[in-house]
Amino acid sequence: MKLLIRRPEQSDIQTLHQFFFHVIQDTYAKEGIAELVDDQQREWAMKKQYVAMDIESQGKKRFFWVAMGEATNDIIGTIEYGEANEIIQQTIKEDLSHCPEIGTVFVHPDYQNRGIGTRLLQKMLTTLEKQKVHSFCLDSGYKQAQVIWQKKFGQPDYILEHFWGTNSHHMIWQRVLPLREKK
């Protein structure tokens, strides 16, 4: 699939908001937790805030890549990095000021399992290397995403058992660059 990966623009804001909402709703449904509407709203608000931080700071506070379908020019994926979230900071309990979190790895449901997330991740790892970032962290509470991250990065460094309820764990990875992900 032909893909254009670029930085977001001010004109993308509304489309990104809709994209985030759609992917979050789909993810919650696939995870069997669609009834957690308030949680979905909180996550959506956070993603909107992150993209606003990127645009306003020109990538200094948050930094996004957006994947566009070249044929359709639609947003079909995102990835970002920024300051590690509260769960990561409280769990790792060390200075993470030079260890950003990779997050908002979203792929539109119609385009999942086509390597788009992998291409976005490779682009982000290259970006971090060019910016002389030496390590990153990543976390996930979604079971389906955890399987993907374990394939790419191995076992997580931290598992917060039953964090989201019985048998719903939260996983955190902390990795050093340069890193060539597993295929």
Side-chain angles (χ1 to χ4, degrees):
M1 172 175 204
K2 294 201 177 216
L3 198 63
L4 170 67
I5 299 177
R6 65 168 176 79
R7 296 275 295 127
E9 300 168 359
Q10 183 70 38
S11 60
D12 295 324
I13 297 290
Q14 288 303 324
T15 305
L16 280 166
H17 289 182
Q18 293 167 354
F19 171 79
F20 294 149
F21 185 73
H22 182 69
V23 175
I24 290 166
Q25 276 191 316
D26 180 74
T27 301
Y28 274 64
K30 287 177 180 171
E31 291 285 324
I33 54 174
E35 72 281 0
L36 300 178
V37 177
D38 289 345
D39 289 350
Q40 291 179 54
Q41 290 293 323
R42 274 190 292 280
E43 185 166 352
W44 186 43
M46 181 176 54
K47 300 311 179 190
K48 293 191 301 185
Q49 180 183 3
Y50 283 176
V51 78
M53 289 168 68
D54 179 336
I55 299 289
E56 291 166 10
S57 72
Q58 298 179 338
K60 290 180 177 64
K61 291 187 178 179
R62 287 278 164 186
F63 184 99
F64 272 82
W65 285 114
V66 175
M68 310 286 292
E70 200 170 80
T72 63
N73 207 31
D74 292 331
I75 294 174
I76 58 174
T78 60
I79 191 169
E80 57 89 16
Y81 82 86
E83 180 180 342
N85 70 48
E86 199 173 305
I87 296 171
I88 293 172
Q89 290 183 34
Q90 290 175 355
T91 301
I92 295 178
K93 296 181 182 172
E94 63 184 59
D95 179 12
L96 296 173
S97 58
H98 299 292
C99 183
E101 170 195 4
I102 293 178
T104 318
V105 185
F106 285 174
V107 177
H108 189 284
D110 294 344
Y111 294 92
Q112 292 176 357
N113 301 310
R114 296 187 190 185
I116 295 166
T118 297
R119 289 173 61 190
L120 282 164
L121 179 62
Q122 289 169 340
K123 180 78 170 175
M124 186 58 76
L125 294 175
T126 301
T127 300
L128 292 173
E129 287 175 354
K130 285 180 181 176
Q131 294 179 1
K132 307 225 185 301
V133 173
H134 300 289
S135 63
F136 68 92
C137 46
L138 178 142
D139 72 335
S140 178
Y142 298 132
K143 292 176 184 178
Q144 291 180 359
Q146 290 169 348
V147 171
I148 294 167
W149 296 128
Q150 287 178 76
K151 285 180 184 175
K152 293 193 178 302
F153 299 124
Q155 290 303 305
D157 298 289
Y158 304 90
I159 298 176
L160 307 176
E161 294 188 6
H162 311 293
F163 190 83
W164 301 106
T166 305
N167 295 321
S168 292
H169 313 308
H170 195 82
M171 298 181 180
I172 301 171
W173 291 260
Q174 189 174 13
R175 295 294 181 262
V176 175
L177 290 166
L179 172 73
R180 293 293 164 230
E181 66 165 305
K182 301 172 188 177
K183 295 244 176 180

